Amino acid sequence: MSAGHEFLKKLEAVEAEIRASSDKIAALQGTLPDENREEFSSRIDMATGSATLILSGKCKQFRNLCLKNIHETTGSSKESVDGKEDETAGFPTTREDLEGFWDMISLPIQKVRDGFTSIERLKENGWKENDNMEELKSARTDKTMSTNTTKTQGLRKKPLASKNDNNIPSPGDLQRREKLARQKEEARQRLLEFKKAARDKMLQQNNGDAEAVGAE
């Protein structure tokens, strides 16, 4: 079985599922209560409209790609869903192409399913919004945010672990410390020598000035 046949079979199953669910949801228009009828009717129209859009758009494009792959694999006569000229005729359609397109349309297909599911749950609840579920969801969200904040604060307060539990410096640490100590000592010696040289120079200048005054 070619990749085109494989994905075409998946597509046809999804299309049949969406059409059946769309017809079922559309039939609920006659069961709507007078209260909020327009709102619920609009939701049903949006759900069935999204289903029609995905079937006539992305699903049809994917069907054409599947048929193109079948034609290229088997050498059979090429079919077309809408009879239009194939813009990708010069490029082969591979399994990877079909897998990528299938992944791309899976998300909007799932959104259509979720839309149908929300309307079915609304009907099961007597066409009333389930406020308790919304409050529970909000409470869970607040609790999760609070827990995450507490964990973050705890992590900030937690002291950094020592690389050496016994506080025993490694040989590398000892070498770095000794080198730093030598550098500090050398800098201190240079400073002392500089101060001594400056002091000697000042004394020489003072002595020279005194001799000059005595000669006058």
Side-chain angles (χ1 to χ4, degrees), residues 109-144:
I109 287 174
Q110 186 58 46
K111 287 184 178 180
V112 170
R113 288 170 172 160
D114 293 341
F116 290 155
T117 300
S118 65
I119 293 176
E120 289 177 348
R121 289 178 178 173
L122 190 61
K123 177 182 178 297
E124 292 173 357
N125 197 43
W127 297 107
K128 295 179 181 179
E129 297 287 357
N130 196 339
D131 296 334
N132 292 334
M133 291 299 296
E134 292 297 327
E135 292 176 0
L136 180 60
K137 182 179 179 181
S138 177
R140 288 177 178 175
T141 302
D142 294 341
K143 182 178 180 181
T144 301

Side-chain angles (χ1 to χ4, degrees), residues 16-162:
E17 173 198 344
I18 292 177
R19 289 191 179 96
S21 298
S22 183
D23 292 341
K24 180 180 178 181
I25 294 299
L28 296 179
Q29 291 279 14
T31 66
L32 296 177
D34 293 335
E35 184 179 1
N36 297 326
R37 172 182 289 273
E38 292 185 1
E39 178 185 350
F40 297 142
S41 178
S42 177
R43 289 192 187 185
I44 292 175
D45 290 339
M46 289 180 61
T48 55
S50 297
T52 301
L53 186 62
I54 192 70
L55 290 173
S56 62
K58 296 299 183 182
C59 287
K60 182 179 288 188
Q61 293 178 16
F62 188 60
R63 177 178 290 273
N64 277 332
L65 287 177
C66 291
L67 294 175
K68 184 171 181 290
N69 175 267
I70 293 172
H71 166 70
E72 294 168 351
T73 304
T74 63
S76 59
S77 59
K78 185 177 179 181
E79 303 176 27
S80 176
V81 176
D82 48 19
K84 295 182 180 180
E85 182 179 355
D86 187 3
E87 297 178 354
T88 63
F91 303 93
T93 302
T94 64
R95 171 178 286 275
E96 288 73 19
D97 295 331
L98 296 179
E99 289 176 348
F101 201 98
W102 179 255
D103 290 340
M104 182 183 69
I105 67 174
S106 293
L107 181 59
I109 287 174
Q110 186 58 46
K111 287 184 178 180
V112 170
R113 288 170 172 160
D114 293 341
F116 290 155
T117 300
S118 65
I119 293 176
E120 289 177 348
R121 289 178 178 173
L122 190 61
K123 177 182 178 297
E124 292 173 357
N125 197 43
W127 297 107
K128 295 179 181 179
E129 297 287 357
N130 196 339
D131 296 334
N132 292 334
M133 291 299 296
E134 292 297 327
E135 292 176 0
L136 180 60
K137 182 179 179 181
S138 177
R140 288 177 178 175
T141 302
D142 294 341
K143 182 178 180 181
T144 301
M145 293 178 63
S146 176
T147 302
N148 291 338
T149 302
T150 303
K151 289 182 178 179
T152 302
Q153 293 175 347
L155 289 173
R156 290 176 179 174
K157 294 179 180 180
K158 185 178 180 180
L160 295 175
S162 175

